């Protein structure tokens, strides 16, 4: 074994997500082979990421915090590493509550938008989403999520941040 090539599908990942690393061995006879399951994997900062050496999951990096680490592979006296940037948790989904709204004429309902991130954390993002309504309805929603309908109607109220959105149903008389 002359050298080890360490590769990953991305050089950056959001906190809470995993990334699979691969090790390729390059030999003196010019050949190469996947040695992912034969190397010992390591990371430079276990507070930010951990890497598996468990059979079946070797090279799988789990991110724990934002920052930068080196992911290393060692076999005998040959080693190599590759950097991994870990960004802050990314938005995965938005839940809008209540999920079903039934309003009498002229009444209003405060809607709530709750974000779920790649690290499993959640946060109230009601005041940082873009609110909108759609469908066959006579309703409006304020920038802070207050929904008001002037007639019994059906449709949806939606909260959007970037490319992620969530919605709740507006229904007529129940």
């Amino acid at each position: 074994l002359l050298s080890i090539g360490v590769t990953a599908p991305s050089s950056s990942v959001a906190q809470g997500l995993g990334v699979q690393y691969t090790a390729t061995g390059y030999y003196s006879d010019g050949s190469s082979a996947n040695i992912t399951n034969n190397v010992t994997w390591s990371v430079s900062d276990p507070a930010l990421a951990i890497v598996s050496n468990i059979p079946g999951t070797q090279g799988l990096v789990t991110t724990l915090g934002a920052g930068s680490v080196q992911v290393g592979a060692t076999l005998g006296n040959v080693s190599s590493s590759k950097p991994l940037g870990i960004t802050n948790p990314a938005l995965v989904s938005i839940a809008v509550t209540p999920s079903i709204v039934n309003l009498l004429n002229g009444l209003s309902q405060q809607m709530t938008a709750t974000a779920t991130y790649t690290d499993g954390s959640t946060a109230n993002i009601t005041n940082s989403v873009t609110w909108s309504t759609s469908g066959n309805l006579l309703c409006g929603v304020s920038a802070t999520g207050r929904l008001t309908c002037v007639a019994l109607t059906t449709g949806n109220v939606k909260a959007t941040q970037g490319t992620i959105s969530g919605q709740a149903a507006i229904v007529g008389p129940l």
Side-chain angles (χ1 to χ4, degrees):
L1 179 65
L2 293 177
S3 65
I4 298 172
V6 176
T7 57
S10 176
S11 62
S12 180
V13 66
Q15 179 182 333
L17 295 180
V19 60
Q20 178 65 54
Y21 274 71
T22 303
T24 303
Y26 298 96
Y27 296 91
S28 57
D29 65 357
S31 65
S32 63
N34 184 326
I35 57 171
T36 302
N37 298 334
N38 305 104
V39 299
T40 299
W41 290 96
S42 62
V43 292
S44 59
D45 188 346
L48 298 181
I50 56 174
V51 62
S52 177
N53 282 297
I54 298 170
T57 61
Q58 293 101 320
L60 179 61
V61 175
T62 302
T63 58
L64 306 172
S68 182
V69 296
Q70 289 286 329
V71 179
T74 302
L75 183 59
N77 61 355
V78 180
S79 64
S80 182
S81 66
K82 184 125 182 145
L84 175 64
I86 306 166
T87 62
N88 288 325
L91 179 63
V92 174
S93 64
I94 298 172
V96 176
T97 53
S99 60
I100 298 175
V101 182
N102 178 249
L103 291 176
L104 296 176
N105 297 1
L107 296 181
S108 63
Q109 168 73 51
Q110 178 61 51
M111 304 302 294
T112 301
T114 303
T116 300
Y117 296 94
T118 52
D119 65 349
S121 66
T122 60
N124 183 324
I125 59 169
T126 301
N127 294 324
S128 62
V129 295
T130 301
W131 290 97
S132 62
T133 57
S134 64
N136 179 23
L137 48 82
L138 297 167
C139 298
V141 62
S142 73
T144 58
R146 179 146 306 268
L147 176 69
T148 304
C149 294
V150 297
L152 293 173
T153 185
T154 60
N156 297 298
V157 57
K158 184 159 72 168
T160 304
Q161 189 173 80
T163 60
I164 308 294
S165 64
Q167 67 181 18
I170 302 168
V171 297
L174 296 175

